[in-house]
Amino acid sequence: ALISTITYLFNNSVIHTINAGVTVNNLSSVNLFIKSGFKIVGLLKESSMVNGKYEDSYVLTVLESDI
């Protein structure tokens, strides 16, 4: 479903890039984004609070030319 959404956005709008932020410990989501063509381009230290604790987050991006 994610790949279909990405493809739709690139084909039906002027979007050139899509960015996402995912906590480092959310491996299922990280892997889903990577399998969908996203690349990890950054790390935000202690950027999200989860269950009362700060967690690091990855910044992921996919370019239209990557799909």
Side-chain angles (χ1 to χ4, degrees):
L2 181 58
I3 293 173
S4 298
T5 302
I6 293 167
T7 302
Y8 176 84
L9 288 170
F10 284 144
N11 289 335
N12 296 288
S13 66
V14 294
I15 292 174
H16 174 71
T17 184
I18 301 171
N19 299 306
V22 181
T23 57
V24 172
N25 293 329
N26 190 344
L27 297 179
S28 296
S29 292
V30 171
N31 289 330
L32 174 66
F33 279 107
I34 290 172
K35 287 179 184 176
S36 299
F38 283 75
K39 293 181 177 74
I40 296 172
V41 296
L43 177 69
L44 302 173
K45 301 295 289 179
E46 298 183 357
S47 61
S48 301
M49 184 168 286
V50 179
N51 297 324
K53 293 186 201 176
Y54 286 106
E55 290 190 12
D56 298 346
S57 295
Y58 288 129
V59 177
L60 299 103
T61 192
V62 64
L63 297 173
E64 184 176 12
S65 59
D66 293 338
I67 298 297

